[in-house]
Amino acid sequence: MKIFFINLVSMLAALYMFAIMIRAFVSWLREDIIYRYAGFFRFVNKITNPLIYFIRKYLPSVYRNIDFSPVIAIFFIYAAKTGIILLLERI
């Protein structure tokens, strides 16, 4: 049972990190590509907005408006995943 929860936490963290990476790469795409897949990109934004906006509130844009919040979010998720897995392994 413990292995199931460890795998579940790992999978959910990986999916969320992947969604954040998609969000970052979408900002580089042309408008017609974004419009074609608008529903999917809207879903990705909806699930990643809470963490990204929380980080942006405390981390201002630096150097020519480069946004580092997706990178910080991925580090945060990885650290949280590692901490949760360590706690689950001790049970």
Side-chain angles (χ1 to χ4, degrees):
M1 192 66 161
K2 180 170 52 171
I3 294 173
F4 170 76
F5 285 116
I6 290 172
N7 289 337
L8 181 67
V9 167
S10 294
M11 183 181 64
L12 290 175
L15 287 173
Y16 201 71
M17 285 188 279
F18 187 66
I20 290 173
M21 285 187 268
I22 289 173
R23 178 189 174 114
F25 291 134
V26 165
S27 66
W28 298 340
L29 295 177
R30 294 187 330 241
E31 292 289 326
D32 58 333
I33 296 173
I34 295 172
Y35 181 72
R36 189 178 313 149
Y37 301 103
F40 174 72
F41 293 139
R42 201 173 310 121
F43 172 73
V44 169
N45 278 338
K46 188 174 184 179
I47 63 171
T48 58
N49 274 345
L51 183 58
I52 296 293
Y53 285 160
F54 177 78
I55 293 170
R56 282 182 183 163
K57 186 169 42 171
Y58 296 106
L59 180 76
S61 294
V62 293
Y63 190 69
R64 298 186 186 182
N65 295 329
I66 297 175
D67 186 17
F68 287 108
S69 57
V71 176
I72 303 297
I74 289 173
F75 284 136
F76 177 76
I77 293 167
Y78 184 78
K81 177 192 86 160
T82 304
I84 291 170
I85 288 174
L86 287 174
L87 288 174
L88 287 172
E89 287 177 346
R90 290 185 176 199
I91 294 176

